[in-house]
Amino acid sequence: MAAQRRNLMQSHQSWTDDLPLCQMCGVGTAPNCVYGPDGKGTQSHTNEDGHLRFRGEDGCFLYGVFNGYDGSRVASFASQCLTAELLLGQINSSHTDNDIRRILSQAFDVVEKSYFETIDDALAEKANLSSYHLQHNEVHIDISERLKELEQEVSGGATAIVALIINNKLYIANVGTNRALLCKSSSDGQNQVLQIGRPHNTDSEDELQRLAALGVDSARVRQAGQIAGQTSTRRLGDYRVKLNYNDIDLLSAAKTKPIVSEPEIHGSQSLDNISGFLVLMSEGLITALESAHGPEQVNQEIVAMVAAELAQQASIEAAAQSVVDRVKRLHHDVYVSGRQRAVYCSRHEDMTLLIRTINYPLADGALTPTQGGRIYPVSVPYSNSQSTSKTSVTLSLVMPSQSTLTNGTNTASTLEEGTPTPGQSPTATLQSTNTQTQSSSSSSGDGSLFRQRGSQAAQPDETGRVLPYVDFSQFYRLWGSDHSDGQSTQGGLGPQ
């Protein structure tokens, strides 16, 4: 079996070629980028992320986003092997919640063991050559080159966020630092957004306590911020922290393997009568938006962008790609602006976003702004201050004709059961509260910022300009009052 896995790893064949893709899902991606002084970006390595989106039998759907590092081998292997372990007859509608959680956990364990089987021979050869090198104290160019090749072959790892839907119930399995958001429309036309699960990283109190129980100095781990070059405390692959952890200073005191591949599983969450969408994000996408705007409103911003793009794009795939493109542009724009957060935006890693709609109708692309039923995002500048802004203006002002979109706190609590009818569009405005600064922001759902126009085409005035759809005067007043430092805002931001 190990030989079969190695052959598949080295070929273009996939274990999952015959599985149908889910058509209620879209994926957007962007490669890593490093900016030069002129603002132009270059890709520093091949894309290392992976994803899966398959429809199985018996009403079963499987989705996943994998954040690879030091190569794409682990992310690619995990996406194929995990699918084979879950969708080729292992799960059916008769399974209980406990059965499914057990099968999910076992699948991750199989993926981990199977991957190390594929690199067993390379690891053995590497160990033998390294031992020879040490014993003879001689420099052999051929051996040195071969050791470099073997290290490249066996190194690398991945984090994973996986969503399984069966019997119209949602299960989330997380290993590492990716993220899952569930957006559900409530009976009063608002949307509640929940982050399902927590990141497994060096900032997590739960993870630090887990490491401390194994004998690891958690204070040193927190201060270092990384373990073997990564912030994650749970990963797939990465032989350095799995097989050779005693050689790593931070982990040398561990009683047993401290960096694990065991997933944290959440569910089941019933999706009956829900209208909304599920979002899976790679760490690269999250970090890029956090670098540009700070970590406080990332979930709210992503959901606003997804709702806006689903209302405008002709397909879920196009919506997902548009959201990723927007994050990429925002990150770049902050870097070239030279503003306060520009120092955090000199580069970004690979970005992957997966959107799965749940009874969420795409808007009619033929509608015009005055006909309603669509969301029109408006990019607005953010405060340069890190946490003291009183206005905390959201990334996108979303102006539908009906209903509102409300973003709640990041929690894994159970959602309310009240929902709108399946045909009701849950697109609407954002409301968010920052508990640290006691600030809130919202955009009105009554469309009051839109100037009214007739159905006929807009005519230019004597200067050749067309009256804008959006009136920013209220925004300029709010922004000016927060940033004037007691000075008059005349001559400042806004049209003169």
Side-chain angles (χ1 to χ4, degrees), residues 39-109:
K40 293 182 179 179
T42 57
Q43 188 172 341
S44 61
H45 57 77
T46 58
N47 196 326
E48 297 168 334
D49 280 4
H51 65 270
L52 59 89
R53 44 171 170 171
F54 292 113
R55 173 173 56 84
E57 298 178 351
D58 213 5
C60 185
F61 301 87
L62 184 66
Y63 312 95
V65 168
F66 303 84
N67 177 47
Y69 59 89
D70 295 339
S72 61
R73 292 169 300 283
V74 179
S76 176
F77 181 88
S79 64
Q80 293 185 39
C81 186
L82 196 63
T83 303
E85 290 298 323
L86 292 172
L87 289 190
L88 299 184
Q90 297 87 340
I91 291 181
N92 59 63
S93 59
S94 65
H95 282 129
T96 65
D97 285 352
N98 287 334
D99 290 335
I100 292 176
R101 285 193 288 266
R102 174 180 50 80
I103 293 171
L104 277 170
S105 183
Q106 290 175 347
F108 276 85
D109 187 53

Side-chain angles (χ1 to χ4, degrees), residues 453 456-468:
R453 277 191 185 162
Q456 70 275 12
Q459 298 299 320
D461 60 17
E462 64 276 4
T463 66
R465 298 179 179 179
V466 176
L467 185 68

Side-chain angles (χ1 to χ4, degrees), residues 62-315:
L62 184 66
Y63 312 95
V65 168
F66 303 84
N67 177 47
Y69 59 89
D70 295 339
S72 61
R73 292 169 300 283
V74 179
S76 176
F77 181 88
S79 64
Q80 293 185 39
C81 186
L82 196 63
T83 303
E85 290 298 323
L86 292 172
L87 289 190
L88 299 184
Q90 297 87 340
I91 291 181
N92 59 63
S93 59
S94 65
H95 282 129
T96 65
D97 285 352
N98 287 334
D99 290 335
I100 292 176
R101 285 193 288 266
R102 174 180 50 80
I103 293 171
L104 277 170
S105 183
Q106 290 175 347
F108 276 85
D109 187 53
V110 169
V111 169
E112 175 89 342
K113 291 178 179 177
S114 299
Y115 171 73
F116 281 115
E117 286 180 3
T118 67
I119 63 173
D120 269 349
D121 292 344
L123 286 172
E125 182 182 354
K126 182 175 180 293
N128 289 334
L129 290 177
S130 298
S131 177
Y132 178 87
H133 229 320
L134 291 174
Q135 291 174 6
H136 291 79
N137 288 324
E138 298 176 4
V139 177
H140 293 271
I141 296 178
D142 291 343
I143 293 179
S144 297
E145 290 300 320
R146 180 57 180 159
L147 283 171
K148 290 180 182 178
E149 293 174 0
L150 289 169
E151 177 62 24
Q152 187 175 12
E153 182 178 338
V154 301
S155 65
T159 58
I161 187 80
V162 172
L164 175 72
I165 297 177
I166 187 168
N167 294 331
N168 214 28
K169 295 179 179 179
L170 172 66
Y171 303 80
I172 297 291
N174 181 41
V175 174
T177 50
N178 304 313
R179 188 174 297 179
L181 303 177
L182 180 62
C183 179
K184 174 194 171 186
S185 183
S186 60
S187 57
D188 58 359
Q190 296 184 335
N191 277 2
Q192 186 179 19
V193 178
L194 301 179
Q195 177 176 323
I196 304 177
R198 59 189 174 89
H200 304 132
N201 59 24
T202 55
D203 289 329
S204 168
E205 291 295 338
D206 290 338
E207 286 298 287
L208 290 174
Q209 290 178 15
R210 180 181 67 82
L211 294 176
L214 299 177
V216 175
D217 188 338
S218 59
R220 289 186 61 203
V221 171
R222 185 197 297 273
Q223 184 178 13
Q226 292 187 340
I227 300 174
Q230 301 295 318
T231 63
S232 57
T233 53
R234 300 194 191 194
R235 333 173 174 173
L236 295 168
D238 201 338
Y239 82 95
R240 298 168 299 172
V241 297
K242 302 293 181 60
L243 307 180
N244 299 337
Y245 65 87
N246 286 321
D247 297 333
I248 299 174
D249 183 41
L250 280 176
L251 306 178
S252 59
K255 304 170 187 175
T256 186
K257 183 169 62 178
I259 306 301
V260 297
S261 60
E262 178 184 359
E264 189 171 39
I265 300 175
H266 301 267
S268 63
Q269 164 65 56
S270 175
L271 300 180
D272 290 340
N273 302 317
I274 285 180
S275 179
F277 49 83
L278 173 71
V279 173
L280 303 182
M281 301 181 285
S282 70
E283 180 185 1
L285 181 72
I286 300 165
T287 303
L289 195 50
E290 285 181 345
S291 298
H293 287 162
E296 295 85 3
Q297 299 292 324
V298 166
N299 291 353
Q300 288 83 353
E301 293 182 24
I302 286 292
V303 167
M305 290 189 230
V306 170
E309 295 299 340
L310 286 175
Q312 298 183 83
Q313 302 297 335
S315 69

